[in-house]
Amino acid sequence: MATMYAFFKGDFVPLSEAKIGILTHAFNYGTAVFEGIRGYWNEDEQQLYAFKLTEHYQRLRNSCHILNINLRYSVKELCEITTELLRRSEVRSNIYIRPIAYKSGEVLGVRLHNIDDDVTIACLPFGKYVEAEAAHCKVSSWRRMDDSIAPVRAKITGIYVNSALAKTEAVLDGYDEAILLNGDGHVSEGSGENIFLVRNGVLITPARSENILEGITRDVVIQLAREVLGMSVEERAVDRSELYVADECFLTGTAAEVTVVGKIDHRQIGTGKIGPYTTRLRQAFEDVAYGRNKKYISFCTPVWPK
Ligand code: PMP
């Protein structure tokens, strides 16, 4: 296998050499923001497509803005650095990309101001995130972090303690994934995914004001539901009991892609297997992600020269 590289302190270095010191502010206080991006290998075209690369770096930029991190590269530069990194690592298969902008200063003190910042990007192979064909989800005893406590539309490393608590509780209790309610008791999202329901042919997902992370896959799925399947989509508050009576339910995320939910809190959802709308949406998503649907080819950044 080729040496995997990382972008680290302004340079491309072998991943094994990209190390930070133990006093790094972000390591001590969770003061970093990150992204997860997938690259899809299109075998027919012998091309690697980075999916929604610009949108991921725009979200990283927004996260930095919220967390007072001075990101010294433009979105365009970060996209170029990423494709260069993938070429240097000779990636010709599906890949996961992990950029992190972080408070790199090695100083003590819980604050956001007057700390040096840096950005690093790594890439690594990464398979399915949720193994189950149809996941059994648990509505978590942990509530989703509220935006009045920490800014939930920023993808801040420290906030992921919330997700980790919920995920581990669910898995240790025998489930595959957690669904978190927000402080109001409405459905917010999965531990690392947005959530969708289908009821009577309508696609329903918690609104942006429900303390969700504003998922990029969520946006893609909403667009494809409307444009490819002709569905109507409702972004609104969703009650817990609405989950139980949905015809179909699925989770979306860069890591989870479109993950079918078969059961929630021991109640079967629909047939308990993938439903007709989820089948079509997942297919539409894959066609777009792999760059096969040329109508949406602008979602895909080619890594290798044509
Ligand atoms: N919610 C949370 C908490 C997440 O970590 C993720 C993954 N980034 C998502 C939703 C889905 O976001 P995206 O589709 O942009 O990956």
Side-chain angles (χ1 to χ4, degrees), residues 2-33:
T3 307
M4 296 303 269
Y5 283 84
F7 182 73
F8 184 64
K9 296 192 192 295
D11 216 346
F12 296 98
V13 301
L15 183 58
S16 57
E17 289 172 24
K19 305 266 189 237
I20 58 166
I22 60 168
L23 288 180
T24 302
H25 196 271
F27 177 62
N28 284 264
Y29 303 117
T31 49
V33 297

mmCIF file of all heavy atoms in Angstrom, residues 2-33:
data_model
loop_
_atom_site.group_PDB
_atom_site.id
_atom_site.type_symbol
_atom_site.label_atom_id
_atom_site.label_comp_id
_atom_site.label_asym_id
_atom_site.label_seq_id
_atom_site.Cartn_x
_atom_site.Cartn_y
_atom_site.Cartn_z
ATOM 1 N N ALA A 2 0.436 2.272 -0.708
ATOM 2 C CA ALA A 2 1.198 3.523 -0.790
ATOM 3 C C ALA A 2 1.236 4.189 0.587
ATOM 4 O O ALA A 2 0.368 3.953 1.424
ATOM 5 C CB ALA A 2 0.531 4.453 -1.804
ATOM 6 N N THR A 3 2.249 5.012 0.818
ATOM 7 C CA THR A 3 2.318 5.776 2.058
ATOM 8 C C THR A 3 1.155 6.765 2.095
ATOM 9 O O THR A 3 0.901 7.468 1.122
ATOM 10 C CB THR A 3 3.635 6.590 2.102
ATOM 11 O OG1 THR A 3 4.701 5.692 1.865
ATOM 12 C CG2 THR A 3 3.822 7.292 3.436
ATOM 13 N N MET A 4 0.438 6.790 3.222
ATOM 14 C CA MET A 4 -0.625 7.774 3.377
ATOM 15 C C MET A 4 0.004 9.057 3.915
ATOM 16 O O MET A 4 0.797 9.011 4.865
ATOM 17 C CB MET A 4 -1.699 7.270 4.352
ATOM 18 C CG MET A 4 -2.442 6.033 3.866
ATOM 19 S SD MET A 4 -3.237 6.260 2.269
ATOM 20 C CE MET A 4 -4.838 6.839 2.774
ATOM 21 N N TYR A 5 -0.368 10.157 3.306
ATOM 22 C CA TYR A 5 0.156 11.448 3.730
ATOM 23 C C TYR A 5 -0.891 12.217 4.524
ATOM 24 O O TYR A 5 -2.088 11.927 4.448
ATOM 25 C CB TYR A 5 0.576 12.277 2.515
ATOM 26 C CG TYR A 5 1.897 11.802 1.941
ATOM 27 C CD1 TYR A 5 1.953 10.746 1.042
ATOM 28 C CD2 TYR A 5 3.083 12.404 2.345
ATOM 29 C CE1 TYR A 5 3.154 10.298 0.543
ATOM 30 C CE2 TYR A 5 4.300 11.961 1.847
ATOM 31 C CZ TYR A 5 4.329 10.914 0.941
ATOM 32 O OH TYR A 5 5.522 10.466 0.472
ATOM 33 N N ALA A 6 -0.407 13.183 5.285
ATOM 34 C CA ALA A 6 -1.300 14.136 5.954
ATOM 35 C C ALA A 6 -0.819 15.529 5.595
ATOM 36 O O ALA A 6 0.367 15.729 5.306
ATOM 37 C CB ALA A 6 -1.247 13.944 7.466
ATOM 38 N N PHE A 7 -1.725 16.474 5.591
ATOM 39 C CA PHE A 7 -1.349 17.879 5.478
ATOM 40 C C PHE A 7 -1.208 18.377 6.904
ATOM 41 O O PHE A 7 -2.158 18.340 7.690
ATOM 42 C CB PHE A 7 -2.416 18.658 4.712
ATOM 43 C CG PHE A 7 -2.056 20.097 4.521
ATOM 44 C CD1 PHE A 7 -1.069 20.460 3.613
ATOM 45 C CD2 PHE A 7 -2.686 21.090 5.255
ATOM 46 C CE1 PHE A 7 -0.718 21.794 3.438
ATOM 47 C CE2 PHE A 7 -2.339 22.421 5.086
ATOM 48 C CZ PHE A 7 -1.353 22.776 4.183
ATOM 49 N N PHE A 8 -0.006 18.813 7.268
ATOM 50 C CA PHE A 8 0.298 19.103 8.661
ATOM 51 C C PHE A 8 1.291 20.253 8.740
ATOM 52 O O PHE A 8 2.328 20.200 8.082
ATOM 53 C CB PHE A 8 0.882 17.834 9.319
ATOM 54 C CG PHE A 8 1.146 17.951 10.789
ATOM 55 C CD1 PHE A 8 0.099 18.154 11.679
ATOM 56 C CD2 PHE A 8 2.447 17.841 11.291
ATOM 57 C CE1 PHE A 8 0.353 18.249 13.043
ATOM 58 C CE2 PHE A 8 2.692 17.929 12.649
ATOM 59 C CZ PHE A 8 1.645 18.139 13.531
ATOM 60 N N LYS A 9 0.966 21.270 9.493
ATOM 61 C CA LYS A 9 1.807 22.469 9.633
ATOM 62 C C LYS A 9 2.266 22.996 8.274
ATOM 63 O O LYS A 9 3.450 23.280 8.058
ATOM 64 C CB LYS A 9 3.011 22.194 10.555
ATOM 65 C CG LYS A 9 2.612 21.869 11.996
ATOM 66 C CD LYS A 9 3.800 21.898 12.935
ATOM 67 C CE LYS A 9 3.506 21.293 14.300
ATOM 68 N NZ LYS A 9 2.521 21.984 15.117
ATOM 69 N N GLY A 10 1.312 23.051 7.354
ATOM 70 C CA GLY A 10 1.572 23.684 6.060
ATOM 71 C C GLY A 10 2.303 22.820 5.059
ATOM 72 O O GLY A 10 2.711 23.306 4.001
ATOM 73 N N ASP A 11 2.465 21.537 5.354
ATOM 74 C CA ASP A 11 3.253 20.680 4.471
ATOM 75 C C ASP A 11 2.617 19.289 4.361
ATOM 76 O O ASP A 11 1.810 18.911 5.198
ATOM 77 C CB ASP A 11 4.662 20.533 5.080
ATOM 78 C CG ASP A 11 5.718 20.486 3.998
ATOM 79 O OD1 ASP A 11 5.366 20.295 2.819
ATOM 80 O OD2 ASP A 11 6.903 20.637 4.353
ATOM 81 N N PHE A 12 2.999 18.543 3.331
ATOM 82 C CA PHE A 12 2.547 17.153 3.210
ATOM 83 C C PHE A 12 3.604 16.254 3.847
ATOM 84 O O PHE A 12 4.763 16.284 3.442
ATOM 85 C CB PHE A 12 2.357 16.786 1.740
ATOM 86 C CG PHE A 12 1.270 17.578 1.071
ATOM 87 C CD1 PHE A 12 1.572 18.701 0.310
ATOM 88 C CD2 PHE A 12 -0.065 17.221 1.220
ATOM 89 C CE1 PHE A 12 0.564 19.445 -0.301
ATOM 90 C CE2 PHE A 12 -1.077 17.957 0.610
ATOM 91 C CZ PHE A 12 -0.760 19.068 -0.142
ATOM 92 N N VAL A 13 3.197 15.494 4.856
ATOM 93 C CA VAL A 13 4.139 14.605 5.554
ATOM 94 C C VAL A 13 3.490 13.220 5.666
ATOM 95 O O VAL A 13 2.266 13.112 5.641
ATOM 96 C CB VAL A 13 4.485 15.120 6.973
ATOM 97 C CG1 VAL A 13 5.114 16.517 6.911
ATOM 98 C CG2 VAL A 13 3.266 15.130 7.884
ATOM 99 N N PRO A 14 4.311 12.151 5.789
ATOM 100 C CA PRO A 14 3.696 10.843 6.031
ATOM 101 C C PRO A 14 2.806 10.911 7.281
ATOM 102 O O PRO A 14 3.177 11.567 8.265
ATOM 103 C CB PRO A 14 4.894 9.922 6.254
ATOM 104 C CG PRO A 14 6.018 10.603 5.542
ATOM 105 C CD PRO A 14 5.769 12.078 5.703
ATOM 106 N N LEU A 15 1.655 10.264 7.203
ATOM 107 C CA LEU A 15 0.676 10.322 8.299
ATOM 108 C C LEU A 15 1.327 9.997 9.651
ATOM 109 O O LEU A 15 1.034 10.629 10.665
ATOM 110 C CB LEU A 15 -0.464 9.328 8.001
ATOM 111 C CG LEU A 15 -1.624 9.265 8.975
ATOM 112 C CD1 LEU A 15 -2.305 10.619 9.137
ATOM 113 C CD2 LEU A 15 -2.651 8.236 8.516
ATOM 114 N N SER A 16 2.272 9.038 9.656
ATOM 115 C CA SER A 16 2.909 8.612 10.912
ATOM 116 C C SER A 16 3.755 9.731 11.536
ATOM 117 O O SER A 16 4.097 9.661 12.713
ATOM 118 C CB SER A 16 3.774 7.385 10.659
ATOM 119 O OG SER A 16 4.723 7.684 9.650
ATOM 120 N N GLU A 17 4.091 10.752 10.762
ATOM 121 C CA GLU A 17 4.912 11.855 11.294
ATOM 122 C C GLU A 17 4.077 13.051 11.747
ATOM 123 O O GLU A 17 4.616 14.016 12.284
ATOM 124 C CB GLU A 17 5.923 12.319 10.233
ATOM 125 C CG GLU A 17 7.021 11.311 10.005
ATOM 126 C CD GLU A 17 7.914 11.682 8.820
ATOM 127 O OE1 GLU A 17 7.984 12.881 8.476
ATOM 128 O OE2 GLU A 17 8.516 10.758 8.257
ATOM 129 N N ALA A 18 2.772 13.001 11.527
ATOM 130 C CA ALA A 18 1.915 14.134 11.897
ATOM 131 C C ALA A 18 1.469 13.978 13.349
ATOM 132 O O ALA A 18 0.491 13.294 13.661
ATOM 133 C CB ALA A 18 0.704 14.195 10.962
ATOM 134 N N LYS A 19 2.222 14.599 14.267
ATOM 135 C CA LYS A 19 1.965 14.427 15.712
ATOM 136 C C LYS A 19 1.843 15.794 16.375
ATOM 137 O O LYS A 19 2.558 16.724 16.020
ATOM 138 C CB LYS A 19 3.142 13.699 16.371
ATOM 139 C CG LYS A 19 3.503 12.363 15.726
ATOM 140 C CD LYS A 19 2.798 11.229 16.429
ATOM 141 C CE LYS A 19 3.305 9.888 15.959
ATOM 142 N NZ LYS A 19 2.252 9.038 15.424
ATOM 143 N N ILE A 20 0.982 15.874 17.395
ATOM 144 C CA ILE A 20 0.870 17.119 18.162
ATOM 145 C C ILE A 20 1.286 16.875 19.609
ATOM 146 O O ILE A 20 1.222 15.744 20.102
ATOM 147 C CB ILE A 20 -0.563 17.707 18.121
ATOM 148 C CG1 ILE A 20 -1.592 16.710 18.663
ATOM 149 C CG2 ILE A 20 -0.915 18.168 16.716
ATOM 150 C CD1 ILE A 20 -2.936 17.333 18.950
ATOM 151 N N GLY A 21 1.702 17.956 20.277
ATOM 152 C CA GLY A 21 2.151 17.871 21.677
ATOM 153 C C GLY A 21 0.993 17.743 22.651
ATOM 154 O O GLY A 21 -0.141 18.143 22.342
ATOM 155 N N ILE A 22 1.300 17.207 23.818
ATOM 156 C CA ILE A 22 0.227 16.935 24.795
ATOM 157 C C ILE A 22 -0.377 18.195 25.412
ATOM 158 O O ILE A 22 -1.432 18.142 26.007
ATOM 159 C CB ILE A 22 0.696 15.974 25.923
ATOM 160 C CG1 ILE A 22 1.876 16.562 26.699
ATOM 161 C CG2 ILE A 22 1.027 14.595 25.355
ATOM 162 C CD1 ILE A 22 2.184 15.786 27.982
ATOM 163 N N LEU A 23 0.299 19.332 25.278
ATOM 164 C CA LEU A 23 -0.279 20.565 25.823
ATOM 165 C C LEU A 23 -1.144 21.312 24.811
ATOM 166 O O LEU A 23 -1.700 22.365 25.128
ATOM 167 C CB LEU A 23 0.839 21.488 26.334
ATOM 168 C CG LEU A 23 1.525 21.022 27.615
ATOM 169 C CD1 LEU A 23 2.614 22.010 28.024
ATOM 170 C CD2 LEU A 23 0.530 20.838 28.757
ATOM 171 N N THR A 24 -1.254 20.766 23.619
ATOM 172 C CA THR A 24 -2.067 21.424 22.588
ATOM 173 C C THR A 24 -3.445 21.783 23.153
ATOM 174 O O THR A 24 -4.121 20.938 23.745
ATOM 175 C CB THR A 24 -2.219 20.481 21.370
ATOM 176 O OG1 THR A 24 -0.913 20.167 20.913
ATOM 177 C CG2 THR A 24 -3.022 21.124 20.262
ATOM 178 N N HIS A 25 -3.825 23.039 22.974
ATOM 179 C CA HIS A 25 -5.074 23.554 23.551
ATOM 180 C C HIS A 25 -6.274 22.687 23.172
ATOM 181 O O HIS A 25 -7.101 22.320 24.017
ATOM 182 C CB HIS A 25 -5.268 25.002 23.074
ATOM 183 C CG HIS A 25 -6.265 25.769 23.869
ATOM 184 N ND1 HIS A 25 -7.602 25.781 23.565
ATOM 185 C CD2 HIS A 25 -6.117 26.546 24.978
ATOM 186 C CE1 HIS A 25 -8.238 26.545 24.458
ATOM 187 N NE2 HIS A 25 -7.365 27.021 25.315
ATOM 188 N N ALA A 26 -6.360 22.335 21.887
ATOM 189 C CA ALA A 26 -7.509 21.558 21.403
ATOM 190 C C ALA A 26 -7.595 20.195 22.091
ATOM 191 O O ALA A 26 -8.686 19.692 22.359
ATOM 192 C CB ALA A 26 -7.424 21.381 19.894
ATOM 193 N N PHE A 27 -6.445 19.607 22.386
ATOM 194 C CA PHE A 27 -6.420 18.298 23.045
ATOM 195 C C PHE A 27 -6.922 18.419 24.488
ATOM 196 O O PHE A 27 -7.613 17.553 25.004
ATOM 197 C CB PHE A 27 -4.999 17.733 22.992
ATOM 198 C CG PHE A 27 -4.830 16.417 23.695
ATOM 199 C CD1 PHE A 27 -5.514 15.293 23.277
ATOM 200 C CD2 PHE A 27 -3.976 16.308 24.788
ATOM 201 C CE1 PHE A 27 -5.357 14.068 23.931
ATOM 202 C CE2 PHE A 27 -3.819 15.099 25.438
ATOM 203 C CZ PHE A 27 -4.506 13.985 25.021
ATOM 204 N N ASN A 28 -6.585 19.533 25.115
ATOM 205 C CA ASN A 28 -6.980 19.731 26.506
ATOM 206 C C ASN A 28 -8.422 20.183 26.679
ATOM 207 O O ASN A 28 -9.068 19.830 27.668
ATOM 208 C CB ASN A 28 -6.040 20.747 27.169
ATOM 209 C CG ASN A 28 -4.688 20.138 27.491
ATOM 210 O OD1 ASN A 28 -4.465 19.700 28.615
ATOM 211 N ND2 ASN A 28 -3.803 20.054 26.515
ATOM 212 N N TYR A 29 -8.925 20.975 25.718
ATOM 213 C CA TYR A 29 -10.221 21.613 25.943
ATOM 214 C C TYR A 29 -11.263 21.358 24.858
ATOM 215 O O TYR A 29 -12.333 21.961 24.882
ATOM 216 C CB TYR A 29 -10.024 23.132 26.107
ATOM 217 C CG TYR A 29 -9.066 23.497 27.225
ATOM 218 C CD1 TYR A 29 -7.880 24.167 26.950
ATOM 219 C CD2 TYR A 29 -9.342 23.149 28.546
ATOM 220 C CE1 TYR A 29 -6.992 24.493 27.973
ATOM 221 C CE2 TYR A 29 -8.459 23.466 29.566
ATOM 222 C CZ TYR A 29 -7.280 24.140 29.283
ATOM 223 O OH TYR A 29 -6.417 24.453 30.292
ATOM 224 N N GLY A 30 -10.953 20.529 23.896
ATOM 225 C CA GLY A 30 -11.942 20.238 22.843
ATOM 226 C C GLY A 30 -12.170 21.388 21.886
ATOM 227 O O GLY A 30 -13.232 21.486 21.254
ATOM 228 N N THR A 31 -11.160 22.266 21.747
ATOM 229 C CA THR A 31 -11.315 23.477 20.935
ATOM 230 C C THR A 31 -10.822 23.261 19.500
ATOM 231 O O THR A 31 -9.823 23.850 19.081
ATOM 232 C CB THR A 31 -10.553 24.645 21.590
ATOM 233 O OG1 THR A 31 -9.226 24.179 21.920
ATOM 234 C CG2 THR A 31 -11.246 25.145 22.838
ATOM 235 N N ALA A 32 -11.498 22.391 18.826
ATOM 236 C CA ALA A 32 -11.183 22.137 17.417
ATOM 237 C C ALA A 32 -12.492 21.946 16.677
ATOM 238 O O ALA A 32 -13.519 21.619 17.290
ATOM 239 C CB ALA A 32 -10.313 20.893 17.272
ATOM 240 N N VAL A 33 -12.466 22.159 15.382
ATOM 241 C CA VAL A 33 -13.633 21.883 14.548
ATOM 242 C C VAL A 33 -13.185 20.966 13.422
ATOM 243 O O VAL A 33 -12.037 21.047 12.980
ATOM 244 C CB VAL A 33 -14.264 23.182 13.982
ATOM 245 C CG1 VAL A 33 -14.784 24.054 15.116
ATOM 246 C CG2 VAL A 33 -13.294 23.954 13.115
#
